[in-house]
C-alpha cells in the first residue's frame, strides 16, 4: 500500500508542476524591487543606528515598534498595529555613564552597563579588587572584605590572535554539505527544559545575592569577546528585573 501511495503522490506532483505557468513579468517585477528599489539598508539603519538597542520594556523598544508600524502602513499594510503580549518587569534605559582610570595615568575605559543596572548616584571612586568566585564554595574567602569595593569579577580569557578574516566564502563542497543538512534536531524549550541552564541561573543568583549582602559599590565583568568588542548580557532579564542591587558593567577585555 505504501508503494502505491508514494507513486500516486509523485505522479500528481509531476503533473502539477508540468501544468504551472511561469509568470515572467511578475518575476521580473520582483527582481526589480529587490535589486533596484530595495529599502533593506535604510530599514536596517533605522533599527540599528537611529533606534539602537531595543531592550524589553525600554523607551527605545516603544519608539522602534511605533516606527515599524508606520513604515508598514506606508508600504500599504493598513492593518499593522501594536499588540501587548503579557506582563513584564520594570522598564530601563540609559541616560549617561562614564568609566575612567584616574591613576597612575588617565584613561577613558570602554565599558557598558548591564541592563537594569541602577545608577551610581554620583561618582564612585576606589581601587578595583579582583574577585574570583565561581560558586558559594568561594564565599568565605571574600566574606567581610568587599564592602564599598569596585569588584572586578574574575580574570578574562587571554585574547586570541586572529590572522584569518572574520567572513569566509563557502566553496562548492561546503555548500553541498549544507544543502544536505535537513535534520533540524529535536524540538526543545531552552529556557524551561535545559537543566544545566537552570543550574547556571541559580548559581548566578547566589553570587549576585552574595555581592549584595557584602555591600559592594560596583561590579565590573570582562567582555567575552576580543578586539575591544563589548558583549553585554541583560543580567536582570535572566535573574529577574528586581535583582540588580548595585551598578554593574561589562568592560572590554583589553581595558579590563
Amino acid at each position: 500500500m505504501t508503494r502505491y501511495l508514494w507513486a500516486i503522490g509523485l505522479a500528481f506532483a509531476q503533473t502539477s508542476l508540468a501544468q504551472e505557468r511561469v509568470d515572467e513579468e511578475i518575476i521580473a517585477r520582483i527582481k526589480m524591487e529587490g535589486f533596484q528599489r530595495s529599502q533593506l539598508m535604510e530599514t536596517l539603519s533605522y533599527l540599528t543606528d537611529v533606534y539602537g538597542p531595543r531592550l524589553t520594556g525600554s523607551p527605545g523598544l516603544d519608539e522602534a515598534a511605533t516606527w515599524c508600524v508606520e513604515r508598514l502602513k506606508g508600504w500599504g499594510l493598513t492593518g499593522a498595529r501594536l499588540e501587548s503580549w503579557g506582563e513584564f518587569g520594570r522598564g530601563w534605559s540609559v541616560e549617561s555613564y562614564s568609566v575612567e582610570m584616574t591613576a597612575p595615568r588617565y584613561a577613558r575605559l570602554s565599558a557598558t552597563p548591564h541592563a537594569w543596572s541602577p545608577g551610581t548616584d554620583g561618582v564612585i571612586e576606589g581601587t578595583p579588587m579582583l574577585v574570583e568566585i565561581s560558586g558559594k564554595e568561594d564565599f568565605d574567602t571574600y566574606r567581610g572584605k568587599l564592602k564599598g569595593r569596585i569588584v572586578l569579577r574574575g580574570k578574562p580569557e587571554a585574547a586570541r590572535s586572529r590572522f584569518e578574516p572574520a567572513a569566509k566564502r563557502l566553496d562548492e563542497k561546503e555548500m553541498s554539505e549544507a544543502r544536505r543538512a535537513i535534520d533540524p534536531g529535536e524540538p526543545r524549550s531552552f529556557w524551561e527544559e535545559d537543566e544545566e541552564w537552570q543550574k547556571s541561573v541559580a548559581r548566578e543568583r547566589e553570587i549576585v545575592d552574595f555581592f549584595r549582602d557584602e555591600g559592594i559599590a560596583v561590579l565590573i565583568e570582562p567582555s567575552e569577546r576580543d578586539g575591544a568588542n563589548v558583549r553585554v548580557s541583560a543580567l536582570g532579564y535572566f535573574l529577574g528585573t528586581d535583582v540588580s542591587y548595585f551598578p554593574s558593567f561589562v568592560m572590554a577585555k583589553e581595558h579590563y
Side-chain angles (χ1 to χ4, degrees):
M1 176 62 73
T2 303
R3 290 181 183 175
Y4 288 122
L5 290 175
W6 176 262
I8 292 171
L10 181 59
F12 177 77
Q14 290 175 336
T15 302
S16 298
L17 290 174
Q19 294 176 346
E20 182 179 358
R21 185 179 68 85
V22 177
D23 194 327
E24 299 289 352
E25 180 182 353
I26 290 296
I27 292 177
R29 290 172 60 186
I30 292 174
K31 287 182 177 180
M32 181 66 72
E33 290 294 328
F35 293 122
Q36 303 298 327
R37 291 192 287 271
S38 173
Q39 299 182 44
L40 172 62
M41 295 308 296
E42 178 186 1
T43 302
L44 183 62
S45 178
Y46 266 94
L47 292 177
T48 55
D49 302 329
V50 178
Y51 294 106
R54 297 176 297 282
L55 183 72
T56 304
S58 70
L61 176 62
D62 291 340
E63 293 170 2
T66 301
W67 179 87
C68 287
V69 168
E70 295 305 315
R71 176 54 63 96
L72 291 173
K73 288 181 179 179
W75 289 338
L77 301 176
T78 56
R81 64 185 184 277
L82 297 177
E83 294 184 357
S84 61
W85 55 270
E87 297 295 328
F88 191 71
R90 297 175 295 147
W92 185 87
S93 62
V94 175
E95 294 180 357
S96 65
Y97 63 92
S98 177
V99 181
E100 306 165 40
M101 181 174 70
T102 58
R105 297 289 185 270
Y106 175 83
R108 182 177 291 273
L109 303 177
S110 177
T112 302
H114 276 115
W116 289 285
S117 171
T120 60
D121 194 23
V123 177
I124 296 176
E125 295 182 291
T127 300
M129 176 179 178
L130 180 66
V131 173
E132 296 185 270
I133 290 181
S134 57
K136 57 185 178 182
E137 63 274 8
D138 300 316
F139 289 172
D140 289 341
T141 303
Y142 298 99
R143 200 178 304 278
K145 303 176 182 178
L146 303 180
K147 186 173 179 60
R149 301 301 296 266
I150 298 174
V151 171
L152 301 180
R153 184 179 173 185
K155 297 178 180 178
E157 296 180 358
R160 297 178 294 275
S161 299
R162 177 172 293 172
F163 300 100
E164 298 294 332
K168 176 181 180 295
R169 186 177 294 279
L170 300 180
D171 58 29
E172 186 59 35
K173 179 181 178 183
E174 292 169 318
M175 290 291 291
S176 178
E177 292 175 350
R179 284 193 291 266
R180 291 196 298 268
I182 60 174
D183 183 7
E186 294 294 327
R188 54 191 288 265
S189 171
F190 178 78
W191 308 107
E192 299 177 359
E193 299 178 8
D194 192 306
E195 185 176 347
E196 289 302 316
W197 170 255
Q198 294 296 331
K199 290 180 180 179
S200 175
V201 170
R203 183 169 57 251
E204 186 70 12
R205 180 71 184 246
E206 289 177 341
I207 295 173
V208 170
D209 287 346
F210 174 75
F211 285 144
R212 175 205 59 190
D213 296 340
E214 292 298 302
I216 71 170
V218 181
L219 177 68
I220 300 178
E221 298 179 313
S223 175
E224 299 174 357
R225 297 181 178 174
D226 301 322
N229 291 307
V230 179
R231 181 180 185 274
V232 182
S233 64
L235 186 66
Y237 189 88
F238 300 113
L239 305 181
T241 58
D242 61 330
V243 302
S244 297
Y245 311 112
F246 41 77
S248 59
F249 295 80
V250 177
M251 184 177 290
K253 184 184 293 186
E254 293 79 2
H255 287 186
Y256 187 94

